Amino acid sequence: MTQRLITHLRHVDLAVPDHAKQLDFFTNTWGLTAEHTDSGLTFLAAEGSPEQYVVRLRQATDKRIDLISFGAANAADVDTLAAKLARDGVRLVHEPRDLQTPGGGYGFRFFDNEGRTVEVSADVAVRTHRKIEEGESIPVRLSHVVINSADPEGTVAFYDKHLSFSLSDTLMHPRMGSMMWFLRTNAWHHSLAIARGPHPSLHHASFEMRGIDEYMRGTGRLLRAGVEKIWGPGRHMAGNNTFSYFLDPHGNTVEYTTELELVDEDTWHPHLYDFTQPEVSDQWGTANAMNEFVASRSFNDPDMGLFVAPPV
Ligand SMILES: [Fe+2]
């Protein structure tokens, strides 16, 4: 294995046409905490997470993923990775420098193979976080981000070759072939996954809850609030995590999950799962059936920010 310089997933940043509506959803319904707010720019923290923020919202005409952000262990690793990417011909948005976002730190940005803006940073100040209490159904941390790709094989190869992500498992369909690749950058089964889709876009962002009870309470709160549920509740085979998927006010899919598997990286062998087998998608048998209509709800709108760096 080549040396892994990325330690973990930090945050996912979204641009939305209606910032106020999205902020209301993420704070009052989803359970994140608005830590820093400027006009049209909000940094949302998960109470259980040491990250300064796990989601950033920016008011913009064009809906897009602004940024997917990963952590590195220290500034030297940030420099090493930036130099390696530049050498490999990856387009940097900017070289490593001090960051102006909450918590500061040192980082750089680049475009991935399909033009998503990715940030890698180190030395960001730790947020004062707390233990989530029994029965408290708010996110502990950002679990993982899944992206749609029009060239998933190329995107998986990019994150493997340039960023040393490892394949944990793959989902396949008997006629359509491989459909989703789960990638890890630490012992968590996946921090990133790549889905075959019609265009690059956000497939979903997933938030880890304290445990099964808190995950179910959160799921119920969203149902009672009338938020559209796409799929769940259930438990996947790949990653062994639970899932409840909802649509946010802008049609992005967001997920409550818990008990994502920690793998033994020395002995792990990736599986190839046929997701048309009911127990692969839904071990418990409690979720609504997965079909093409359900799957298409997470295709999302084409990302309007490809190869365009966000202004902040
Ligand atoms: Fe997920």
Side-chain angles (χ1 to χ4, degrees), residues 14-28:
L14 305 173
V16 290
D18 192 338
H19 174 265
K21 197 170 178 184
Q22 188 77 8
L23 178 58
D24 177 62
F25 171 79
F26 266 133
T27 52
N28 295 321

Side-chain angles (χ1 to χ4, degrees), residues 186-201:
N186 51 41
W188 291 108
H189 179 275
H190 56 284
S191 297
L192 178 69
I194 317 289
R196 184 183 302 282
H199 44 245
S201 57

Side-chain angles (χ1 to χ4, degrees), residues 15-222:
V16 290
D18 192 338
H19 174 265
K21 197 170 178 184
Q22 188 77 8
L23 178 58
D24 177 62
F25 171 79
F26 266 133
T27 52
N28 295 321
T29 307
W30 198 249
L32 298 177
T33 303
E35 273 290 308
H36 312 266
T37 302
D38 276 329
S39 57
L41 192 68
T42 304
F43 300 87
L44 294 159
E47 283 295 336
S49 167
E51 295 296 331
Q52 289 286 330
Y53 54 100
V54 295
V55 174
R56 186 187 74 181
L57 294 181
R58 181 175 67 88
Q59 168 84 42
T61 314
D62 289 335
K63 173 183 163 183
R64 58 173 289 183
I65 306 175
D66 268 352
L67 206 59
I68 300 172
S69 171
F70 297 103
N74 51 53
D77 281 2
V78 169
D79 285 335
T80 302
L81 185 59
K84 172 178 144 35
L85 294 191
R87 223 170 32 238
D88 291 347
V90 173
R91 249 176 85 189
L92 297 197
V93 173
H94 67 72
E95 297 281 342
R97 67 185 187 205
D98 290 336
L99 300 178
Q100 303 306 316
T101 35
Y106 181 76
F108 73 105
R109 293 179 180 182
F110 61 92
F111 293 124
D112 78 5
N113 59 310
E114 290 187 303
R116 299 172 195 84
T117 308
V118 178
E119 182 179 87
V120 178
S121 60
D123 298 338
V124 178
V126 171
R127 176 176 180 271
T128 305
H129 56 296
R130 65 177 177 84
K131 213 175 165 80
I132 301 302
E133 306 288 334
E134 196 175 331
E136 202 180 2
S137 55
I138 60 174
V140 176
R141 65 179 191 101
L142 179 64
S143 173
H144 56 270
V145 171
V146 180
I147 50 179
N148 286 307
S149 171
D151 171 24
E153 289 85 357
T155 304
V156 171
F158 180 94
Y159 281 86
D160 169 17
K161 175 174 184 222
H162 298 297
L163 302 169
S164 301
F165 276 81
S166 307
L167 181 68
S168 287
D169 283 320
T170 307
L171 296 184
M172 59 81 75
H173 183 283
R175 286 194 319 280
M176 294 186 279
S178 294
M179 297 299 282
M180 194 180 282
W181 292 256
F182 296 91
L183 305 180
R184 68 179 187 277
T185 191
N186 51 41
W188 291 108
H189 179 275
H190 56 284
S191 297
L192 178 69
I194 317 289
R196 184 183 302 282
H199 44 245
S201 57
L202 179 69
H203 185 285
H204 71 267
S206 179
F207 299 79
E208 175 89 12
M209 307 296 269
R210 179 181 181 275
I212 297 283
D213 179 76
E214 293 77 12
Y215 148 80
M216 284 303 291
R217 287 173 188 269
T219 298
R221 182 179 65 250
L222 270 285

